[in-house]
Amino acid sequence: MADFILPHALPHALDGREGIAALSLDCFDTLLWRDTHAPRDLFGALPGMTVAQRGWAEDRARNAAALRHKRLEVTIGEIYRELLPNGSEAERTAAVQRELDAEAAHCFAFRPTVELMREAKRRGLQVFIVSDTYLDADQLGQLIAAAAGEEVAALIDRIFCSSAYGVPKAKGLYGHVLRALDVAPAQILHIGDNKSADVYGVAPFGVQTLHLRQFGEAAEQRLRLEAAVSAMLHPNAAETAVTHQPHRATLAATEPVIEDAAEAFGFSTLGPVLHGFDRWLAAEAEALQARNGGRVHWLFLMRDGHLPRLVHEAAGSTAPAHAIEISRFTATAASFHDEEAIARFLDLEFETDLRVLAKQLLLAPAEIAAIFKDLPAKDRILAFAKAIRTPARAARIVKNSQAFAERLAAHVRSAVDPDPGDTLMLVDLGYNGTVQNEIEPVLRRLLGVEVAGRYLLLREQFRTGFDKRGFLDDRHYDGDLLEALASNVAVLEQTCTAAQGSVVDYERDGTPIRRDPSIKGRQSVVRDRIQAGCLRFAREQGEAAIRATRPDALTQWRRGAAAVLARLMFLPQAHELAVVSQFEHDVNLGVDNTVPLFDPAVAQRGLRQRGLFYMKGAHRMYLPAELQGEGLAIKLALLAHKRFGLTLKFNDFVDRTIELPVIAADGAQASTTTITATPTHDGYYLAAIPVGDCRYSVGLLFGQLYDWVQVESATFVPVEAFLSDKAATAIEVPAVPSLEGMEQTAPWLFRCEDEFAFMMVPPPERRDERAMMLAVVFRPIAVRQKPALVPNALLASGAAA
């Protein structure tokens, strides 16, 4: 029979075990679970002390008990005598009660364990608790009743606490328990989460034992990383637990039985985030109702609002959820109410492809072709803007936009038909609220409604003054953190979106006109399975916990969701990336453009060429995913840089250099010098050698330093691009080196025959006036050993012989 049990199987732990007369249970993390990651995290909720102070007091109390009384356990009273050495007895008693109250607020009974207790009582078994704790039996009993309710507490016949006997389970507590019971050891089944205490400390007494494995290895690591990320997101606020993981029980109860990797990903990661979001939306809708009156209509903006809408329905809400198809393209198309709106659009979007801008301005294909036919090669952006702003053309744009706005309003009416004064609550993932910026004036004017945007993540680029709020926004998080989350939002968008093309227009009755989906069918199949897992979490959340007290649920879910989301964005796990490895991201601009969600080869090349400095200027859809395999340190560095907005430069990462000898030759003369090569990543170095206006050939004298060397790349880059914070791969010119005394023995691997071996790199073809830089990335493999010097005395003695 197995010596462990998974959480979901607890109700059946007695099946197949004959002769059991008593059920013995550990308390914490077996019967009572906390919604924090570690027990000590709860101490952050205690007023008037720090987590460290509470921990130090317990350490001092344990040392004193061992030295003075030869006890291995202490009481909570002894802990608080150390914590408040100058406090009165009344002050210490009050402080102890505050800790018990905090425990009750953050503890709950794990339902599968309670179901096992009920089954034990149905079979006529005794049920008792055996706990390693500084609480006494009365305190622990009161805590169980306060946290889980009197019905759960009534299932327990006796409670044994290590503090009463001075020894924990691992050191013999169960011997005291057996002496107090009238039950043979073989007739007892003991279950607990600590294998050392609950199996190795109990089984030698002849008691049957089961180790409760709360989480599998992957879930345990994921929760640990979430707690670590949470520490970076949430500086410990006064009287607030250090971590919040309200999803722990749901994960433990269900995740082990989910066999599909995509469904498990949706359940364990998207589930907690979107469930917390939905709870917050309900509170926001209630607040809007109280403030504005009328009805509050939940409008989920497609396509990214697709999964949040399904979660809302799966949670059993009575508030109807309406899918509204308004894309960035259609919202913008409806917003050109005058010439100033056109001018502002051009000011903000001047870096976008001009043909995309022309299409966004609702110009006919023939008119677009005419504009581009007349555009000059120089100053094309200015010429384009001038052509758009001609009075006749601007008037056509405004007219077309007004008609477009009427069709968009008809689309909204077809879904909810709001009365004047009602509130349209636009629900979306975020993160700037661009759609709301464009359509709020349109909806107010045409429908006479109030508009409120409610977003999972809100990071506005400018203050619109519109009614916008985010589950994660600047009321709770600073701008650097919000920007960090927004930089990797693509992974969230592509797992939440609907499997349909982006809307580009509407029929007169409001029926959406969509583009054909640009995303591959296989991606849609995987995404459906991910979303199924998320919906399962929404349905089952709360079933695993029995609690009599309710802490600030929204704060718990917000902080927990932020940690889950940031962990996914910056510390994704290999099994999660395997699920989305083939995903592409489509830009919601009425065009067919798609890009891979992540490409590890790009990041590896960038790191080797530029080191961590590369990441500072890298703008990727999901950069941390591309760093998978490069080590946790790299991803933590990226997280710290983004989360805190660190102003680090390339030189800040340079703590070791190589002086590489080189020759510079222009055909008439040659000179020898050394170039300082700086470390990048994974043992590679970068040698950057100016070649002026493409006149100089460069010889790299690798033979003077190495027997073996690996050359990753040799490229020419404009100096200004090389020195820029932005990645310069798009303007690189590959070098074509020749070898002298160097033999290539494998791809990128070279053997230097002697100290005179070198690699000669001729300059590239000159294309313009820009100064160029030769960037050579190499990794030393075997350093050339210089001949040992023979001491003069030895030479002299040899000559004499």
Side-chain angles (χ1 to χ4, degrees):
M1 189 171 289
D3 62 353
F4 70 90
I5 191 168
L6 298 179
H8 69 278
L10 278 170
H12 307 288
L14 295 169
D15 294 352
R17 294 180 181 271
E18 302 297 332
I20 297 296
L23 174 65
S24 170
L25 296 170
D26 173 49
C27 183
F28 293 103
D29 294 322
T30 301
L31 171 58
L32 285 189
W33 291 33
R34 297 179 178 92
D35 50 31
T36 60
H37 180 257
R40 71 187 300 272
D41 292 350
L42 181 72
F43 300 153
L46 303 179
M49 71 184 75
T50 67
V51 174
Q53 287 171 336
R54 172 60 176 75
W56 291 331
E58 185 170 340
D59 290 342
R60 289 194 299 270
R62 290 186 180 279
N63 290 338
L67 292 173
R68 298 178 188 178
H69 309 294
K70 296 183 179 180
R71 286 190 290 111
L72 300 179
E73 290 289 281
V74 298
T75 68
I76 193 170
E78 291 171 327
I79 293 171
Y80 273 86
R81 279 196 289 275
E82 293 293 337
L83 183 63
L84 303 172
N86 299 315
S88 67
E89 193 62 30
E91 289 172 332
R92 293 172 186 156
T93 299
V96 168
Q97 188 59 50
R98 286 194 292 271
E99 180 168 329
L100 292 174
D101 291 343
E103 287 277 17
H106 288 275
C107 283
F108 57 87
F110 189 53
R111 186 177 297 276
T113 306
V114 174
E115 291 177 2
L116 171 61
M117 295 166 67
R118 289 170 177 158
E119 175 62 18
K121 302 303 284 187
R122 189 189 68 79
R123 297 187 184 199
L125 276 59
Q126 297 182 55
V127 176
F128 43 86
I129 299 296
V130 183
S131 177
D132 288 340
T133 178
Y134 37 72
L135 304 181
D136 62 33
D138 288 340
Q139 290 170 330
L140 186 55
Q142 293 168 12
L143 173 59
I144 293 171
E150 294 291 348
E151 186 270 336
V152 173
L155 296 172
I156 301 168
D157 295 300
R158 294 192 64 174
I159 296 176
F160 299 90
C161 297
S162 61
S163 61
Y165 300 94
V167 291
K169 280 175 281 189
K171 298 295 183 179
L173 171 61
Y174 223 88
H176 297 284
V177 173
L178 291 173
R179 285 190 287 273
L181 296 173
D182 187 23
V183 183
Q187 294 180 305
I188 300 173
L189 172 63
H190 178 78
I191 302 175
D193 70 291
N194 187 316
K195 192 169 187 177
S196 176
D198 295 303
V199 175
Y200 300 147
V202 175
F205 290 96
V207 175
Q208 298 185 49
T209 60
L210 279 175
H211 173 219
L212 172 62
R213 292 183 182 174
Q214 280 186 289
F215 303 100
E217 291 183 6
E220 190 173 277
Q221 181 183 32
R222 196 172 58 243
L223 290 166
R224 185 169 60 250
L225 291 175
E226 287 173 12
V229 169
S230 182
M232 299 181 72
L233 306 188
H234 306 111
N236 191 30
E239 301 184 26
T240 303
V242 176
T243 61
H244 291 86
Q245 294 183 337
H247 52 299
R248 291 175 65 87
T250 306
L251 297 191
T254 301
E255 190 174 2
V257 304
I258 301 177
E259 297 181 356
D260 178 67
E263 182 182 351
F265 171 67
F267 183 89
S268 62
T269 302
L270 295 188
V273 173
L274 294 185
H275 172 78
F277 181 39
D278 188 64
R279 292 176 75 124
W280 174 76
L281 287 172
E284 289 296 302
E286 184 177 344
L288 288 170
Q289 175 77 48
R291 186 188 73 190
N292 297 344
R295 291 179 296 166
V296 176
H297 303 278
W298 294 53
L299 304 186
F300 291 82
L301 294 178
M302 298 293 105
R303 297 170 295 165
D304 295 348
H306 173 68
L307 185 55
R309 179 178 66 87
L310 297 181
V311 167
H312 177 71
E313 293 174 342
S317 174
T318 57
H322 304 282
I324 298 294
E325 296 189 45
I326 306 177
S327 65
R328 216 170 98 193
F329 178 84
T330 61
T332 304
S335 70
F336 303 124
H337 54 86
D338 57 22
E339 293 186 20
E340 176 58 29
I342 298 172
R344 178 168 175 76
F345 169 75
L346 293 174
D347 292 342
L348 294 176
E349 303 291 341
F350 72 95
E351 291 184 340
T352 307
D353 182 275
L354 296 183
R355 291 189 179 274
V356 173
L357 293 186
K359 185 174 181 180
Q360 178 69 83
L361 289 163
L362 306 178
L363 297 176
E367 189 168 9
I368 294 174
I371 291 174
F372 280 90
K373 180 180 179 182
D374 296 333
L375 284 185
K378 189 176 181 180
D379 296 330
R380 287 172 62 85
I381 295 177
L382 293 176
F384 176 80
K386 183 178 179 180
I388 292 299
R389 289 172 178 161
T390 61
R393 185 166 286 129
R396 284 197 297 275
I397 293 172
V398 171
K399 180 180 179 181
N400 291 341
S401 180
Q402 290 175 343
F404 200 105
E406 291 285 356
R407 297 194 296 274
L408 187 152
H411 173 63
V412 175
R413 287 194 195 96
S414 68
V416 293
D417 192 22
D419 294 325
D422 283 357
T423 299
L424 304 184
M425 186 172 76
L426 308 180
V427 180
D428 197 4
L429 298 180
Y431 45 93
N432 182 50
T434 302
V435 168
Q436 182 182 354
N437 293 346
E438 307 299 348
I439 67 167
E440 177 161 336
V442 173
L443 296 178
R444 285 179 177 275
R445 174 170 54 87
L446 297 178
L447 301 179
V449 294
E450 299 292 327
V451 178
R454 295 298 181 261
Y455 304 95
L456 174 66
L457 170 65
L458 179 62
R459 184 272 288 138
E460 280 197 283
Q461 294 178 331
F462 48 87
R463 294 291 184 178
T464 61
F466 293 152
D467 184 357
K468 292 183 184 179
R469 297 186 77 176
F471 184 42
L472 311 177
D473 65 12
D474 59 8
R475 293 170 301 131
H476 305 97
Y477 299 101
D478 59 76
D480 288 326
L481 174 56
L482 296 175
E483 183 62 27
L485 296 177
S487 66
N488 292 308
V489 77
V491 63
L492 184 65
E493 292 174 340
Q494 284 307 317
T495 49
C496 290
T497 191
Q500 63 188 41
S502 178
V503 60
V504 294
D505 204 342
Y506 309 92
E507 304 287 357
R508 292 184 63 182
D509 64 355
T511 302
I513 300 172
R514 309 185 189 102
R515 278 194 164 274
D516 291 334
S518 54
I519 294 299
K520 297 175 181 177
R522 181 182 180 277
Q523 178 167 327
S524 295
V525 171
V526 174
R527 183 169 53 208
D528 287 346
R529 287 157 42 208
I530 293 173
Q531 294 181 356
C534 181
L535 298 180
R536 182 170 183 174
F537 184 95
R539 290 190 297 269
E540 298 183 10
Q541 193 287 320
E543 293 182 2
I546 299 174
R547 61 193 320 157
T549 59
R550 290 288 176 184
D552 184 353
L554 286 183
T555 295
Q556 282 199 351
W557 281 102
R558 176 183 294 108
R559 288 165 65 99
V564 173
L565 186 59
R567 198 278 311 158
L568 171 65
M569 287 182 168
F570 286 94
L571 304 179
Q573 300 301 283
H575 62 273
E576 295 172 323
L577 296 180
V579 171
V580 297
S581 61
Q582 301 301 314
F583 272 34
E584 293 180 330
H585 182 70
D586 56 332
V587 293
N588 197 5
L589 291 172
V591 293
D592 294 326
N593 296 350
T594 62
V595 294
L597 185 59
F598 61 94
D599 184 351
V602 173
Q604 184 184 71
R605 187 168 186 264
L607 283 170
R608 290 179 177 180
Q609 288 186 332
R610 304 289 295 274
L612 288 174
F613 183 68
Y614 151 77
M615 297 197 304
K616 185 174 187 299
H619 297 287
R620 306 290 298 164
M621 301 306 302
Y622 192 12
L623 177 59
E626 298 180 342
L627 297 175
Q628 183 67 23
E630 302 297 334
L632 180 62
I634 292 290
K635 288 182 280 191
L636 282 176
L638 176 62
L639 171 57
H641 161 66
K642 292 289 188 182
R643 187 264 171 272
F644 297 109
L646 304 180
T647 56
L648 299 177
K649 295 291 185 180
F650 176 75
N651 288 341
D652 299 326
F653 296 99
V654 175
D655 59 359
R656 181 181 180 183
T657 60
I658 292 174
E659 296 302 316
L660 178 66
V662 299
I663 298 173
D666 64 356
Q669 58 183 358
S671 61
T672 303
T673 186
T674 58
I675 291 293
T676 300
T678 52
T680 57
H681 174 66
D682 202 22
Y684 284 88
Y685 286 77
L686 169 66
I689 308 148
V691 296
D693 56 355
C694 302
R695 288 188 296 116
Y696 294 98
S697 295
V698 176
L700 296 97
L701 306 180
F702 286 121
Q704 290 192 19
L705 301 181
Y706 310 114
D707 288 325
W708 292 85
V709 65
Q710 187 172 351
V711 179
E712 168 76 9
S713 64
T715 57
F716 291 98
V717 183
V719 171
E720 72 272 16
F722 181 84
L723 298 177
S724 170
D725 283 353
K726 298 182 178 180
T729 54
I731 50 177
E732 290 180 353
V733 178
V736 184
S738 60
L739 304 176
E740 295 292 338
M742 294 179 65
E743 177 189 5
Q744 184 172 2
T745 62
W748 304 294
L749 183 62
F750 300 86
R751 183 179 68 86
C752 300
E753 296 177 357
D754 52 36
E755 65 269 27
F756 303 109
F758 65 94
M759 175 180 288
M760 180 61 72
V761 184
E765 179 183 352
R766 183 175 180 180
R767 299 182 180 181
D768 49 42
E769 300 299 322
R770 291 184 295 181
M772 301 293 285
M773 180 84 73
L774 172 62
V776 179
V777 178
F778 67 95
R779 177 163 60 178
I781 301 298
V783 176
R784 182 170 299 283
Q785 299 298 319
K786 296 182 179 180
L789 297 178
V790 181
N792 291 334
L794 183 59
L795 290 173
S797 64

